[in-house]
Amino acid sequence: MDSQTVDASPQTGEGRPAATLKRNALGVLGILFFVLSAQAPLTGIAGAVPIAVAVGNGAGAPAAYAIAGAVILLFSVGFVAMGRHVVNAGAFYTYIGKGLGRTTGSGSAAVALFAYCTVQAAMYGLYGFTVSGLVEHYSGAHIAWWVWALVTMGAVQVLGAAGIELGAKVLAVFVLAEFSILLVFALVTLVKGGGPEGLDFGGTFSPSAVLQGAPGVALMFAVASMFGFEATAIYGEEAREPHKTVPRATYLSVAVVTGFFAFVSWMLVSSYGPSKVTAAAGKALAGGDSTVFVFAPIAAQFGGWVNDVLPILLGTSLFAGILAFHNSANRYLFSLSREGLLPGRLRTLNHRHSPWVAGLVQTAIAVLLVMPFALAGKDPVLTLFSWFSGVGVLACMLLYFLTSVSVIVFFRRERLDTRRWNTLIAPALGALGIAAVIWVVLTNFTTLIGGDATTALWLVLAVPAVLLLGAGTARVVHGR
């Protein structure tokens, strides 16, 4: 590293050089596919857009994705500036630790693990439910959702241990399939001039459209759909020329995700018409299957075969997201082990330079998070998916906020980068935007998880509790 780079060479907690992940394994597109997999595009569109429209601000919901993208873009400026000087698979906690101290950084590592593992567990709930329904529809055999979840945990463990390149190739196939059909639908709708009321740009993006109903709820679901882009930094150690690849992948990811969600959701609104879309989304939710809101106009555009293909793509979308979060979480466990905060066994790599022991631990965590819901007979969508996806988003928003603050503190102290926009103004604006999102999420958290106020309170309190537990553990380990 050059003189302008903070020493982030992987070391053990005792200061010795440690095993490293495979170098030069991923390029910009490889990292992009991991990010898009974590986004689970079809899941985000089919799951979040109907709720954002029905419960949020109706036809103005697509604008919420554009606003969320703008906030994330501001955050990314400081995130990328820090990434040019710190390359580590720990990403968030390493960045936060550089600016706010090791204790706060370690606390944030616990929050990051909590976020990734709970979101992955949430996806297992929806995945198991989706696959169980598909199997019953096509074969008549009823197999419990949790059986499919457990089987998939085994498959994810194998793929995770097989190496980062194989994982990227598997994800590329799944992501391209779901991404393509949604994008083609949106482009065809655009070329045809929209639905019954035309494209009606003002009916979706005008100030009056954006502010109608409950725009905060729509913004909340928009931000939730973009969770996972920060994986660009997690794969920094495995990237080719990380000081170039990670910034490019980060900005490209934010641009692609924002443009994709805003454009596709706008075309969905257009296919119904701004004046009728809220009622259509409400009807789909009332019927117990929100995906109908998305699948119906696509089927109307391309034919009934879509109704057979899209549910399968929803399953593969969830699988891709599960694999992406598995890879993110096991790299956090690996990195924490190198720092001496977790047992040294977790930094064991196999011949493919994959942290397979950390992967086993991550899989065990998934079992421990998912199976209590199965044993209690809880609905995997209304409880496991809703509760854990909500608390995972809240945890990630806290990480974004701490990272933005850390960037400002770090560059005021180190003076490695004197660009005020990159190291002060954009991070400060990003922190303010993220703080506003956190307030909106907390205000509407019961709606986000679809549960009761008591459950919402316990889930909210879990986030600072994990932060304090992680920070406390670090102080004990490091003797401070």
Side-chain angles (χ1 to χ4, degrees):
M1 297 181 183
D2 59 35
S3 61
Q4 294 297 302
T5 302
V6 172
D7 183 11
S9 301
Q11 294 183 331
T12 65
E14 294 77 30
R16 300 189 306 271
T20 58
L21 298 168
K22 188 172 184 178
R23 303 291 189 181
N24 302 315
L26 295 172
V28 172
L29 291 181
I31 296 176
L32 178 63
F33 280 122
F34 273 106
V35 172
L36 292 179
S37 300
Q39 307 293 329
L42 183 56
T43 304
I45 292 292
V49 172
I51 304 174
V53 171
V55 185
N57 58 346
Y65 287 94
I67 294 170
V71 172
I72 298 300
L73 183 61
L74 286 170
F75 165 81
S76 299
V77 173
F79 185 69
V80 165
M82 178 73 91
R84 293 183 185 279
H85 302 281
V86 181
V87 178
N88 188 288
F92 274 143
Y93 93 82
T94 307
Y95 291 8
I96 293 170
K98 290 294 181 182
L100 304 181
R102 174 179 282 182
T103 299
T104 304
S106 298
S108 69
V111 174
L113 270 175
F114 179 71
Y116 290 135
C117 289
T118 51
V119 169
Q120 189 204 44
M123 297 180 89
Y124 271 121
L126 183 55
Y127 172 85
F129 174 81
T130 300
V131 174
S132 179
L134 285 171
V135 171
E136 186 168 6
H137 175 73
Y138 287 107
S139 70
H142 176 71
I143 301 175
W145 67 269
W146 55 267
V147 174
W148 296 111
L150 289 176
V151 169
T152 302
M153 288 177 194
V156 167
Q157 174 62 34
V158 171
L159 282 173
I164 197 70
E165 299 103 321
L166 178 60
K169 291 174 183 177
V170 171
L171 294 177
V173 173
F174 291 154
V175 169
L176 282 174
E178 59 181 299
F179 194 84
S180 297
I181 195 167
L182 289 170
L183 188 59
V184 170
F185 158 75
L187 289 171
V188 170
T189 303
L190 177 68
V191 171
K192 287 186 175 181
E197 299 173 27
L199 294 174
D200 195 2
F201 184 87
T204 293
F205 293 101
S206 68
S208 59
V210 174
L211 297 175
Q212 67 181 326
V217 173
L219 179 63
M220 176 178 64
F221 281 100
V223 171
S225 298
M226 295 184 180
F227 178 50
F229 84 93
E230 70 288 339
T232 54
I234 293 176
Y235 298 109
E237 287 186 34
E238 296 157 280
R240 292 188 288 272
E241 296 184 275
H243 297 292
K244 295 180 180 179
T245 300
V246 171
R248 290 171 183 171
T250 301
Y251 286 131
L252 182 60
S253 298
V254 174
V256 169
V257 169
T258 301
F260 176 81
F261 276 99
F263 179 49
V264 173
S265 60
W266 177 31
M267 290 301 100
L268 281 170
V269 169
S270 179
S271 67
Y272 286 99
S275 67
K276 299 177 182 177
V277 69
T278 303
K283 182 179 179 181
L285 263 62
D289 185 5
S290 63
T291 62
V292 171
F293 173 79
V294 175
F295 293 176
I298 299 178
Q301 195 76 265
F302 300 133
W305 62 269
V306 168
N307 290 319
D308 292 321
V309 173
L310 284 177
I312 295 174
L313 287 180
L314 178 60
T316 59
S317 171
L318 288 161
F319 180 84
I322 287 168
L323 178 57
F325 281 113
H326 172 82
N327 284 323
S328 294
N330 67 27
R331 277 154 180 75
Y332 259 91
L333 290 167
F334 170 84
S335 188
L336 286 170
S337 174
R338 287 194 312 204
E339 295 288 335
L341 293 171
L342 290 176
R345 180 72 171 160
L346 291 175
R347 59 178 176 264
T348 302
L349 300 175
N350 62 17
H351 68 287
R352 294 181 179 273
H353 293 264
S354 177
W356 69 278
V357 176
L360 283 173
V361 172
Q362 199 285 316
T363 299
I365 292 172
V367 173
L368 292 174
L369 289 174
V370 169
M371 288 311 295
F373 288 84
L375 294 173
K378 296 292 186 180
D379 186 291
V381 177
L382 298 180
T383 56
L384 177 56
F385 176 73
S386 298
W387 295 0
F388 279 178
S389 59
V391 75
V393 168
L394 181 61
C396 198
M397 288 300 102
L398 176 60
L399 292 172
Y400 288 2
F401 178 78
L402 290 175
T403 301
S404 292
V405 174
S406 180
V407 167
I408 296 171
V409 173
F410 174 79
F411 285 111
R412 300 283 72 72
R413 182 177 66 237
E414 299 294 339
R415 297 294 177 182
L416 293 172
D417 189 332
T418 58
R419 296 173 298 173
R420 292 179 64 82
W421 168 255
N422 297 69
T423 63
L424 177 61
I425 299 173
L429 292 174
L432 290 173
I434 292 164
V437 171
I438 291 174
W439 179 81
V440 169
V441 169
L442 290 173
T443 303
N444 299 280
F445 196 72
T446 303
T447 300
L448 178 61
I449 67 165
D452 57 76
T454 301
T455 301
L457 178 61
W458 280 109
L459 290 172
V460 167
L461 292 177
V463 177
V466 169
L467 178 68
L468 293 174
L469 178 63
T473 300
R475 292 182 69 87
V476 171
V477 170
H478 295 296
R480 291 190 271 129

